[in-house]
Amino acid sequence: MGKTITLEQQNGGVLALSLISSLLDGLDRPLLVAERSGRILFANLRAQQCLQEHGFQLSGPERPNLFADLLRLDARSVFVPLESGEQEVCLPVECHGEQVRMRIRWLPEPDWLVVYIEPSPTVPAESNLQQTMQELLQEREITYRNLLAAYLRLQEVNRQKTVFLASAAHELKTPLAVMKGYYDLLLSGSLGRLNEKQRDILQESKESCERLVRLVSMFLNYSALESGKLVLHIRQNDLRDCIEEIVSRWHDAALRKQVRLETHLAPELPAFKFDYQKVQQVIVNLLDNALKHTPAGGRVRITAEPHFWERRIAQLVPAVERRQTQATQFNSVKVSVTDSGTGIAPEFHQEIFEDFVRVDRSSSGMGLGLAIAKRLVQAHRGKIWVDSEVGRGATFTFLLPTDLE
């Protein structure tokens, strides 16, 4: 529920699914969504509280089943009347001595059940005020139901999009690796001497192939992040080796763009625990972005140094103690990639880290590099930001804690 996906409206507005989730949590009656098998997919806050009061936990490994645990009847008792045309099925249920009523509706397209839990009906309302309140509640219920249906449809569309990206990337990965291997073999001269023009053509083709390889890798990383399947391999590593390896690989690309690539790595950089490949991916994405927006004759500089990160914690530390700690110790490393390119206007400093966002529409790319970098840094419990002004270049900086377990 924590992901933010957007729905383009006819008036050009954007509706966030996190907002839909918040609206459903504001519903004054418990609401559940379950599959045909009875597995519960979603429960708003009132439903979670209601189930917890009756001894059911949705967060544990053994989640209750709608039919076996809550209704205590066969699924056919619900689906037969619904599939025959009835709008809803109302069933009285006894939970720990308390009588409640479950109103069940069927969404045929995803084949899901929407369940409203409410107290068993008592004496019907007799006053006009009570009748008016009931009508208002029914209207609000219809609105929430429409929002829920839109949310569920978008959730399925987003899942299909992620699956498609992952499948396409996997299909492209192997042939691109073979092509890159053949380019390396030709350029090495093992299959015969090349004249200068042939070498230039092959080198340019190899660079295009490497660009496609990076794009495929980006799609795979994005799919893993979207599906929640990202796994960090946290080991003791040397950040200096990590950065120097990247610089050696990108040295020729910087020369061809006529951009000076510089590094400044503090001698006191510590060895600490981080995912070597994932941190390299962050730096590569930032470096690729910097080279892309730096004109010929410009400069890109990578720096890394120990840093004291004064993170806010629940237990307050005395100010004197913080100053002494900052002067003598560090708890993180700070890595920056600075370019002398066109710069970024302040109003885009947050937006550029979102998925598929490109400030400069004339530049190449899918707008995923910075978004992936941000998620990988956050997976390390770090943070990333940009300092930039139009016409004065940009500095992308991220912090990695050195006490990560």
Side-chain angles (χ1 to χ4, degrees):
M1 301 296 296
K3 300 177 184 176
T4 301
I5 312 165
T6 58
L7 171 62
E8 296 292 340
Q9 303 294 327
Q10 292 181 355
N11 59 2
V14 176
L15 180 64
L17 286 186
S18 58
L19 175 61
I20 295 177
S21 175
S22 299
L23 289 172
L24 293 174
D25 284 338
L27 187 61
D28 64 342
R29 65 180 64 186
L31 179 145
L32 300 172
V33 178
E35 292 179 334
R36 175 177 282 267
S37 64
R39 187 171 72 92
I40 296 175
L41 299 175
F42 171 82
N44 67 355
L45 288 178
R46 290 296 299 272
Q48 294 176 29
Q49 294 169 0
C50 179
L51 293 177
Q52 288 173 0
E53 291 172 359
H54 294 91
F56 297 109
Q57 296 290 336
L58 293 178
S59 58
E62 299 182 1
R63 299 163 66 97
N65 185 277
L66 175 64
F67 300 113
D69 301 316
L70 302 184
L71 299 177
R72 296 178 184 175
L73 49 77
D74 191 86
R76 289 175 295 181
S77 303
V78 174
F79 277 100
V80 168
L82 289 175
E83 291 176 343
S84 63
E86 290 191 21
Q87 186 176 3
E88 71 175 23
V89 173
C90 295
L91 297 172
V93 179
E94 182 177 355
C95 293
H96 291 258
E98 180 183 353
Q99 290 291 333
V100 297
R101 183 176 66 171
M102 291 196 177
R103 295 173 48 212
I104 306 173
R105 292 174 179 265
W106 180 41
L107 298 177
E109 184 177 348
D111 199 17
W112 290 337
L113 295 174
V114 180
V115 184
Y116 299 91
I117 305 174
E118 58 188 25
S120 293
T122 55
V123 180
E126 296 179 355
S127 67
N128 291 334
L129 177 60
Q130 289 176 326
Q131 184 177 358
T132 302
M133 290 296 296
Q134 186 66 25
E135 291 174 354
L136 290 174
L137 289 174
Q138 289 177 353
E139 291 179 3
R140 187 172 64 173
E141 181 180 317
I142 293 173
T143 301
Y144 280 121
R145 189 164 61 245
N146 292 337
L147 287 173
L148 174 62
Y151 166 76
L152 295 175
R153 285 196 299 270
L154 283 177
Q155 190 178 49
E156 179 62 18
V157 169
N158 182 63
R159 186 192 67 80
Q160 292 176 358
K161 177 260 298 178
T162 302
V163 170
F164 170 77
L165 281 178
S167 300
H170 277 293
E171 290 296 326
L172 289 171
K173 187 176 182 180
T174 301
L176 286 175
V178 173
M179 291 169 61
K180 184 177 180 298
Y182 282 138
Y183 284 131
D184 291 333
L185 187 63
L186 289 169
L187 288 170
S188 68
S190 302
L191 302 180
R193 294 187 59 183
L194 301 172
N195 59 42
E196 186 175 349
K197 185 173 182 179
Q198 291 172 332
R199 182 172 293 276
D200 290 341
I201 292 174
L202 285 174
Q203 185 63 46
E204 187 174 345
S205 300
K206 179 188 173 184
E207 291 174 7
S208 298
C209 182
E210 289 175 342
R211 181 178 181 81
L212 284 174
V213 170
R214 290 196 299 272
L215 189 61
V216 167
S217 176
M218 196 173 296
F219 280 148
L220 289 173
N221 285 330
Y222 177 76
S223 299
L225 290 166
E226 279 288 289
S227 59
K229 297 179 180 178
L230 175 71
V231 178
L232 292 182
H233 301 283
I234 302 297
R235 298 184 181 88
Q236 194 82 359
N237 290 302
D238 190 334
L239 184 63
R240 181 185 300 275
D241 293 341
C242 178
I243 296 176
E244 288 177 347
E245 182 179 332
I246 294 172
V247 171
S248 65
R249 292 205 311 258
W250 284 74
H251 180 72
D252 292 341
L255 283 179
R256 286 190 292 273
K257 285 209 64 177
Q258 300 179 13
V259 173
R260 190 166 71 255
L261 182 58
E262 302 175 351
T263 59
H264 176 72
L265 309 179
E268 62 272 20
L269 271 178
F272 64 101
K273 291 183 178 180
F274 63 92
D275 187 315
Y276 193 90
Q277 298 296 331
K278 300 297 189 299
V279 170
Q280 273 201 339
Q281 183 67 57
V282 173
I283 300 173
V284 164
N285 288 1
L286 298 180
L287 181 57
D288 183 39
N289 184 73
L291 290 175
K292 190 184 303 179
H293 295 93
T294 302
R299 182 191 69 171
V300 173
R301 181 180 177 86
I302 303 175
T303 62
E305 60 185 358
H307 180 77
F308 179 78
W309 182 7
E310 191 172 352
R311 288 169 284 182
R312 294 185 179 182
I313 55 176
Q315 183 179 1
L316 295 178
V317 182
V320 175
E321 182 180 338
R322 287 203 307 268
R323 287 194 294 269
Q324 291 175 350
T325 304
Q326 186 171 2
T328 58
Q329 298 180 2
F330 56 84
N331 59 4
S332 64
V333 294
K334 181 168 72 171
V335 181
S336 299
V337 178
T338 303
D339 63 67
S340 58
T342 54
I344 305 167
E347 59 266 26
F348 297 117
H349 285 188
Q350 296 298 324
E351 183 180 353
I352 58 176
F353 291 104
E354 300 300 324
D355 298 343
F356 303 105
V357 171
R358 288 187 300 153
V359 176
D360 184 4
R361 296 294 179 180
S362 63
S363 64
S364 59
M366 296 293 295
L368 283 176
L370 295 179
I372 292 174
K374 178 181 178 180
R375 295 192 189 187
L376 292 177
V377 169
Q378 290 177 340
H380 283 79
R381 292 189 292 183
K383 70 173 183 177
I384 186 170
W385 70 94
V386 62
D387 297 305
S388 180
E389 295 180 17
V390 176
R392 301 186 64 179
T395 297
F396 286 86
T397 304
F398 64 91
L399 297 179
L400 295 176
T402 55
D403 54 358
L404 187 65
E405 295 297 335

